[in-house]
Amino acid sequence: MTDVVQHILEDVYALCAADTSGAVADYIPELATADPDRFGICLTTADGYVYEVGDTRVPFTVQSVSKPFTYALALADRGEEAVAAKIDVEPSGEPFNEISLDPVTERPRNPMINAGAITAASLVAGDTPDEQFDRIRRSFSRFAGRDLELDAAVHASESATGHRNRAIGHMLRSFGVVESDPDAAVDLYFRQCSLIVTGRDVAVMAATLANNGTNPCTRDRAADPVLIERVLSVMTTCGMYDGAGDWVNRVGLPAKSGVAGSVMAVLPGQLGISVYSPRLDGHGNSVRGVLACRELSRRLELHFLHVGRAARSAVRARYSIVDAPSRRRRTAAEQRTLTERGTRSRIFELHGDLLFSAAESVVRAVSPPAVTTATDASTADRPLDAVVLDMRRVDDVSDVARSMLDALAEQLRASGCAAGLVDPRGTMAHTVSTLDPDGSGRVFSTLDSALTWAEDVVLDRWCDGPRQATEVTLDDHPVLASSSRGNRNRIAALTTTSTYPAGTVVADIGDPALGLALVLAGRVTVEFVSTDGVVRPVSTLSAGMSFGEIPLVRRTEFGLRITAVEDTTVAVLAPADFERLRADDPAATADLVITLLDRAYEQVETIVGALRRVA
Ligand code: GLN
């Protein structure tokens, strides 16, 4: 798999390597000693996987690629307001080393040109320039995931020749933008520019920005997520100096270049890229760096305004309890009601990341506007009685989406529709108690429990036939109900009643036949357990229902596991007693068997009915 991406990188590398135009920066004499043919491309994913080709481990000085990181530090140390009072965020369209301030605000136009960067450095916390530098060095090291060091030769070289930057420093001091010693501020800036990195380091630093401030390789938090948006914004508008417009047009990634020959680009949430190649174009940007970024952006469709596909609906499936009934076995009257009225419930299965537009599509699907281009054709069933949002396939929910869905649930409840969530991972940050003030909203950990609940909501409103009782006497048990009084008494006399405490396995797979078990009170689950231990729920049985017929009649072992989920009372007609009844009283046996057959066919009907609706 990784070869696929590696090959793309190698293709781009080969294509760009052919371009040997441009010239190595020499205004800082030490930079002129760089090998102009060096070339490396590195791509680090936001989860920390590193792809690299060429000279990605060659050291060079970070230069202006440092600017976004120092700006982040200034924001962290002084706060957004204080920094905004010193540095604007307008693209300048000027070279990086322009000796100018905005004529109206009298502030540096942005933190990506030298004037703004020197100001940002001066704002970093610390009592002395050395302390400030140490803070910068440690911060950059967190972004890179390793301890970065100063290139003393490059620093000395820039110090000796950096008159233009000193001029900028003194200009800043004279306008009161820099309030400390301007030479110290400029030297601090020179030192930050002289930190040694590799292409790999820069790609990891970029990936840390892409990953909202957390280094994906070390898991170290390098910057507060709220600052990342600020930093990426100025990189977008100002990162490539006077080439910024063309850059956004053709590459479309927040980026920063440095005169040592590196370009760093970020695709938020996805990846960081670095390209190192010392020959520069007229703007001071690496020729191959710009070219490679263009090519990668085009081939990998990285442009941040690229519309890959129209937003996909967050609703993956919608259905009612008629299409997908719960596993709870129901009385005949209940079953009839669910078949007739079940479409007044709706389950919406959501998926993906829920941001504003996804949440908007959910709101519109669940509660279509009155005059509607409704995506849900079956408006005839409305108003709905119960809505369930199945969140199990949702990856992430943004704050705005969460409050929109909360408002939707609120609105549904106000209109008399119960609203439930299937949310085992707590994606919506609700507990049963926060969503169930009056019993009209619930959070479930399984879909089946939510379906059961939705069915109960519909049944409570519409079922006027006999409902499932929480308790039945043996005499009233439906399995015996159609037998004559005499036969009923004879069968009852042969049963043994016992209570299984909650949690007890009443019968396990492989157990011998227990007999005909009539549930009088409580609840049992019926589960299938595969040989590799996977448990699949089959049904839930309550008072008035029965189990154990198959092993009894077919003389086999239990093929399913029966577990009491609450204290459960069961009357059992053991196999030997069943045989005795058969021998002694064929008429009573026939009554009983016909009832069982009838109930078995009723279940077959339900299953076939569900299959028919799905087909
Ligand atoms: N230290 C360099 C300077 O100020 C950085 C410039 C750059 O990388 N664009 O001149």
Side-chain angles (χ1 to χ4, degrees), residues 27-28 63-64 67 96 114 158 165 189 193 241 257-260:
Y27 74 99
I28 299 171
Q63 297 300 338
S64 285
K67 288 168 178 169
F96 67 89
N114 290 7
E158 184 163 19
N165 281 323
Y189 164 74
C193 288
Y241 310 120
S257 65
V259 286

Side-chain angles (χ1 to χ4, degrees), residues 25 27-28 31 61-67 96-97 112-115 117-118 154 158 162 164-165 168 186 189-194 239 241 256-262 280 283-285:
Y27 74 99
I28 299 171
L31 292 185
T61 50
V62 66
Q63 297 300 338
S64 285
V65 173
S66 63
K67 288 168 178 169
F96 67 89
N97 55 3
M112 302 292 104
I113 56 171
N114 290 7
I118 292 166
V154 171
E158 184 163 19
R164 194 177 174 95
N165 281 323
I168 294 173
V186 171
Y189 164 74
F190 286 160
R191 282 194 272 176
Q192 96 181 25
C193 288
S194 298
Y241 310 120
K256 190 67 205 80
S257 65
V259 286
S262 65
L280 310 179
H283 301 300
N285 298 328

Side-chain angles (χ1 to χ4, degrees), residues 352-541:
D353 287 338
L354 301 189
L355 306 180
F356 167 78
S357 60
E360 189 276 338
S361 73
V362 174
V363 170
R364 193 146 33 94
V366 173
S367 135
V371 178
T372 184
T373 51
T375 36
D376 188 349
S378 45
T379 43
D381 307 316
R382 293 172 187 276
L384 296 175
D385 292 331
V387 162
V388 172
L389 300 183
D390 181 352
M391 309 292 288
R392 290 173 303 163
R393 287 183 180 75
V394 169
D395 299 315
D396 204 10
V397 185
S398 71
D399 289 344
V400 64
R402 190 173 294 118
S403 58
M404 285 166 73
L405 296 186
D406 281 346
L408 171 67
E410 192 56 48
Q411 187 187 312
L412 287 171
R413 281 195 291 271
S415 71
C417 176
L421 289 174
V422 183
D423 192 13
R425 284 175 295 127
T427 318
M428 285 291 288
H430 279 303
T431 59
V432 174
S433 54
T434 57
L435 203 66
D436 191 22
D438 55 1
S440 59
R442 292 287 303 275
V443 184
F444 301 94
S445 57
T446 65
L447 176 62
D448 191 59
S449 51
L451 293 173
T452 308
W453 168 80
E455 288 173 353
D456 286 338
V457 169
V458 171
L459 290 173
D460 287 348
R461 287 189 191 173
W462 303 102
C463 185
D464 38 26
R467 298 287 305 273
Q468 232 162 67
T470 52
E471 234 171 87
V472 293
T473 62
L474 185 53
D475 205 46
D476 287 336
H477 195 287
V479 169
L480 301 187
S482 56
S483 297
S484 68
R485 165 126 310 274
N487 285 348
R488 199 152 65 216
N489 285 344
R490 222 155 299 137
I491 299 167
L494 291 172
T495 64
T496 321
T497 299
S498 25
T499 295
Y500 297 89
T504 323
V505 175
V506 179
D508 210 343
I509 295 167
D511 281 0
L514 181 72
L516 171 62
L518 307 176
V519 183
L520 302 181
R523 222 152 28 99
V524 296
T525 54
V526 182
E527 293 166 326
F528 174 75
V529 186
S530 66
T531 42
D532 50 6
V534 180
V535 179
R536 288 210 179 72
V538 176
S539 61
T540 304
L541 308 177

Side-chain angles (χ1 to χ4, degrees), residues 319-338:
Y319 54 90
S320 76
I321 48 177
V322 178
D323 311 311
S326 80
R327 294 196 186 85
R328 176 68 64 89
R329 208 170 291 162
R330 299 292 184 179
T331 67
E334 288 176 331
Q335 194 51 58
R336 222 177 305 114
T337 309
L338 291 176

